[in-house]
Amino acid sequence: MTAGPAIGPYVLPNRLFVAPMAGVTDHRPFRRLCKRLGAGYAVSEMITSRPELRDSLKTARRANHDGEVGPIAVQIAGTDPEMMAEAARYNIDRGAQIIDINMGCPAKKVCNKWAGSALMRDERLAAAIIEAVVAACEPRGVPVTLKMRTGWCAQVRNAPVLARIAESAGVRLLTIHGRTREQGYGGQAEHETVAAIKASVRIPVVANGDIDSPQAAERVLRTTGVDAVMIGRAAQGRPWLFREIAHYLATGRLPPPPTAAELRAWLLDHLHDHYALYGEYSGVRSARKHLLWYLRAIGGDAAAQQRLRDAITTAETCEAQLAAVQAFFDAYEPVLPLAA
């Protein structure tokens, strides 16, 4: 497979990126599994720039990169240039090798504070933040990347303007989600704006949005000329999607679906890693959403699925969840296609 783009001194192994997702890629175990199954790069879910929240257990877990394959990329979010610069320095001190600026999150709790994609409404503030973060990172040899949407709304698609501002300020890679903030995750992503940005800048550009199959990944790469694609929600419960895309890009054919033995091994490895990071009480509860996503992707007998669903949502111990997963796979027979 073709090598990925370079982010400063880091040449990525391929063109498949894991998107930062709230409540998903803050989990190091999920990022590690995606990389193991073919992703060349993963960005951790955003860490707030507010200093009073840095010492929380939640933030400490997000900043835990023990055993993770580099380069380690951390996304930061905020509205104050100096606070964002300090957040960059703080994360570099804790192992971040790349800093990503969040100007793409559409969540109301983020945008209501004028962070995330709301920054696209104020180009002067956005530029000040980008400049401050780059100035904080450059002396440490840490490249800065930026993730944003096509604009705030259909009438204001100013991502091309901000892309040129970011390039001039020293940003080393841009990721564009092909929706406006107004769209949230509704409607369809459009990549024409992404293609236009790619044609107007010299730094690498990554396309994000509705890349949910090997065919979609190939089509976006071919029609936009971007340097990589970023996959988000489609990988929830289906981290082997990266392996499928890599195979399709290399051969033009879909790979065979994962075997039951592979699925069992991946899920159990994910759970063990997850419990080790979060402990039993939090680990069992936060693992539930991942397991439910896996169930949606892997199919199987409806009655067996319901038994597992009931077991994983009521389990109070790691052992109980693990036993439920083992029992499910002991009788597992796939009834749904696993490759798109």
Side-chain angles (χ1 to χ4, degrees):
M1 184 176 176
T2 304
I7 305 177
Y10 305 105
V11 179
L12 303 178
N14 64 38
R15 299 184 288 169
L16 307 180
F17 291 12
V18 187
M21 294 177 280
V24 183
T25 52
D26 55 341
H27 299 280
R28 182 198 63 206
F30 180 76
R31 297 195 303 269
R32 287 177 61 176
L33 184 57
C34 288
K35 288 180 178 179
R36 174 181 163 191
L37 294 179
Y41 182 64
V43 181
S44 74
E45 191 248 317
M46 63 182 178
I47 294 176
T48 179
S49 63
R50 292 169 58 186
E52 68 271 21
L53 298 179
R54 285 186 195 146
D55 294 328
S56 70
L57 178 59
K58 188 174 183 179
T59 297
R61 284 174 174 157
R62 287 179 177 175
N64 186 319
H65 304 284
D66 293 346
E68 188 169 356
V69 176
I72 305 302
V74 174
Q75 186 180 82
I76 58 174
T79 59
D80 179 80
E82 183 47 44
M83 202 175 287
M84 287 284 279
E86 179 55 33
R89 288 188 285 265
Y90 175 89
N91 282 286
I92 292 169
D93 288 341
R94 282 150 186 80
Q97 296 168 300
I98 296 171
I99 294 294
D100 186 61
I101 300 172
N102 182 309
M103 289 191 189
C105 180
K108 287 184 179 180
K109 68 178 181 179
V110 176
C111 289
N112 286 347
K113 295 180 173 61
W114 283 84
S117 55
L119 285 171
M120 299 186 73
R121 299 178 72 177
D122 188 337
E123 291 175 6
R124 291 182 64 183
L125 176 59
I129 287 173
I130 293 167
E131 290 165 1
V133 173
V134 170
C137 293
E138 275 191 339
R140 309 284 291 273
V142 173
V144 176
T145 62
L146 172 68
K147 187 173 190 288
M148 61 180 165
R149 290 191 162 228
T150 56
W152 178 257
C153 61
Q155 292 73 37
V156 185
R157 295 184 189 270
N158 60 335
V161 173
L162 285 168
R164 291 189 289 274
I165 289 172
E167 181 182 33
S168 296
V171 164
R172 309 296 287 273
L173 176 143
L174 295 165
T175 300
I176 317 297
H177 185 120
R179 287 181 172 89
T180 64
R181 189 279 166 193
E182 187 177 61
Q183 285 180 273
Y185 294 101
Q188 289 187 320
E190 59 87 8
H191 295 292
E192 290 82 2
T193 301
V194 185
I197 291 170
K198 173 59 186 171
S200 69
V201 299
R202 291 172 293 177
I203 57 177
V205 175
V206 182
N208 176 222
D210 290 353
I211 300 169
D212 56 5
S213 68
Q215 297 94 325
E218 187 279 330
R219 181 175 63 253
V220 171
L221 285 166
R222 173 170 42 82
T223 59
T224 64
V226 293
D227 302 274
V229 289
M230 179 175 278
I231 294 98
R233 290 171 296 155
Q236 293 175 359
R238 192 182 163 198
W240 55 87
L241 176 59
F242 296 99
R243 188 174 79 164
E244 294 175 352
I245 294 173
H247 186 277
Y248 187 79
L249 293 178
T251 68
R253 298 185 303 274
L254 292 172
T259 66
E262 287 176 319
L263 292 170
R264 182 199 296 256
W266 297 335
L267 265 67
L268 293 177
D269 285 352
H270 187 174
L271 285 175
H272 283 297
D273 199 8
H274 190 93
Y275 299 148
L277 178 62
Y278 290 94
E280 183 158 72
Y281 183 85
S282 295
V284 165
R285 284 154 181 80
S286 57
R288 290 169 181 165
K289 62 185 175 186
H290 289 275
L291 287 167
L292 293 174
W293 287 330
Y294 279 123
L295 266 178
R296 182 183 63 195
I298 66 180
D301 175 74
Q305 276 224 342
Q306 188 58 52
R307 285 194 298 272
L308 179 55
R309 189 174 292 108
D310 293 341
I312 62 179
T313 55
T314 58
E316 296 290 333
T317 66
C318 302
E319 289 77 13
Q321 271 190 345
L322 289 167
V325 172
Q326 290 276 26
F328 175 80
F329 278 107
D330 285 344
Y332 175 70
E333 292 184 9
V335 296
L336 294 176
L338 295 173

